[in-house]
C-alpha cells in the first residue's frame, strides 16, 4: 500500500527501514525524516507523516515484542515517538493558521 503518494513510498518500504534502524540500535528514536532520508526521499506536503509515525510505532512494537524487550524501556520509547507526532501535528496546525490569515 502506498503511504506517501508524493514520493511513492509504500508501507512495506517504511517497515523495512524501521526494522533496519532497530537492528542497528533498538532504542533509537525513529522519525519520519529519518525514514524518508533512508529511502532517498524527502517530505514534500508531509500529509503522510502522521501515518508514517503510526507505522513506525506499530513496527517498533512488533519488533520489541519479538525481541522480548523490557516493557518499561519500550513504553518510554513509544512515548518519545508519540511526543514526536504531537510536535508534527502542532506544527501543521500553526502552518494552516498562518495560511488562513
Amino acid at each position: 500500500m502506498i503511504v506517501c503518494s508524493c514520493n511513492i513510498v509504500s508501507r512495506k518500504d517504511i517497515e523495512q527501514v524501521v526494522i533496519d534502524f532497530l537492528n542497528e540500535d533498538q532504542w533509537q528514536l525513529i522519525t519520519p525524516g529519518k525514514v524518508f532520508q533512508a529511502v532517498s526521499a524527502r517530505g514534500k506536503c508531509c500529509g503522510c507523516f502522521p501515518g508514517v509515525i503510526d507505522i513506525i510505532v506499530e513496527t517498533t512494537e512488533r519488533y520489541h515484542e519479538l525481541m522480548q524487550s523490557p516493557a518499561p524501556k519500550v513504553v518510554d520509547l513509544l512515548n518519545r515517538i508519540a511526543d514526536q507526532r504531537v510536535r508534527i501535528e502542532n506544527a501543521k496546525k500553526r502552518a494552516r493558521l498562518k495560511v488562513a490569515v
Side-chain angles (χ1 to χ4, degrees):
M1 177 174 105
I2 298 296
V3 175
C4 174
S5 56
C6 295
N7 293 294
I8 315 300
V9 177
S10 72
R11 179 182 188 96
K12 188 174 182 175
D13 296 332
I14 296 166
E15 290 172 341
Q16 187 57 57
V17 166
V18 171
I19 290 169
D20 291 345
F21 279 135
L22 291 170
N23 284 334
E24 290 173 13
D25 175 5
Q26 65 181 358
W27 302 111
Q28 68 177 297
L29 179 60
I30 301 169
T31 63
K34 285 177 76 168
V35 170
F36 275 67
Q37 185 176 23
V39 296
S40 300
R42 65 180 185 86
K44 292 181 182 173
C45 77
C46 302
C48 62
F49 275 25
V52 172
I53 292 173
D54 289 341
I55 295 168
I56 292 169
V57 169
E58 292 165 11
T59 306
T60 301
E61 285 176 332
R62 278 194 312 273
Y63 180 90
H64 284 287
E65 191 175 293
L66 287 171
M67 296 295 151
Q68 299 178 345
S69 300
K73 285 189 172 187
V74 174
V75 169
D76 179 56
L77 178 66
L78 295 176
N79 285 338
R80 289 172 39 216
I81 294 170
D83 290 344
Q84 179 68 15
R85 182 175 185 154
V86 168
R87 283 192 294 272
I88 289 171
E89 289 295 325
N90 288 339
K92 285 173 60 177
K93 286 177 187 174
R94 285 192 302 271
R96 275 186 250 140
L97 288 174
K98 286 181 182 178
V99 170
V101 175

